[in-house]
Amino acid sequence: MEVVRKLSQSSKNPAFLNLLDIQISPSALIYKGISVVKCVQNPNEFVLVFPGAYRTEICCGFNFSEASCFAPLEWLPYGQNIIEHYAEYGIKPLLSQDKLMIEAATQAAKAPWEALTRKDNSFTTEMLKNVTGKNDILTKLLKSRVRIESIWRKHVTSCLDSNAFDDGSTPIKRECGICFYDHSGVSCSCSPNRYACLRHSYKICSCPCNSKSFLFRYTMTELELLVQAVEGKLSAAYNWVKKRPHQEMDLSGSSPRESSRESRPQMRM
């Protein structure tokens, strides 16, 4: 990163690596110890770009091409690293890493329950079961993210009024004006349509604390419940999904704690 910054004439631009007009000689990168690989793409072929790699393209002749962004669950830690880097430079990411992670965690938390209640042993269910558990990829990443969020909330929000996000009440997208983080943030009465994440809350304005409010999508209790669900606690998965009507889950019968009682009529959420 620092090598490319020094070699690039646009290095003063925070988003210089996202600019389409940056061209750096491969020989200059090799001289600095950066690995460079040439790939020739022929018709009807796909090229996969792995995490941490940057690419440049040269088109030979008339062609049509299409790019698509996707990632397996194993790549989520790479995504978190780049989100942290983007936040330093105020670069807007292509998608919300936290929304993606929480959606993946929700689906993963449901997987053991689906396997038990619906006898669902599909490839997706088995894949999600393989990335959860106390020491697996998704659990470690979620724990780390929840721990960081807890630290920020403890140090920043102690003197602020707290309110849950109500995205339906305003057409303004609630996201940090610096790094575009949209999971929790601070707003001030002096500019109600501006938001800053907890990391950049000191940059939103110079007003005193009593003029500001802390906004959040999930309480720390809810996030810790999701961690327990991803670790494999079925009662936590039951309670997490039960609070989210938009999630589908077979909640027929009782919660895991009530497995010995007579089952209730079937419900779907």
Side-chain angles (χ1 to χ4, degrees), residues 170-175 187-195 204:
T170 174
I172 304 298
K173 188 174 182 180
R174 300 178 189 267
E175 60 185 14
S187 176
C188 183
S189 58
C190 73
S191 48
N193 291 331
R194 288 182 59 203
Y195 302 91
I204 189 171

Side-chain angles (χ1 to χ4, degrees), residues 201-220:
S201 58
Y202 66 96
K203 291 187 176 182
I204 189 171
C205 65
S206 58
C207 296
C209 278
N210 56 14
S211 301
K212 299 176 181 178
S213 298
F214 168 58
L215 303 172
F216 58 88
R217 296 192 186 281
Y218 301 102
T219 65
M220 290 308 304

Side-chain angles (χ1 to χ4, degrees), residues 221-234:
T221 300
E222 289 175 318
L223 293 175
E224 288 163 2
L225 180 68
L226 180 57
V227 170
Q228 293 176 9
V230 174
E231 287 179 334
K233 189 174 181 180
L234 291 180

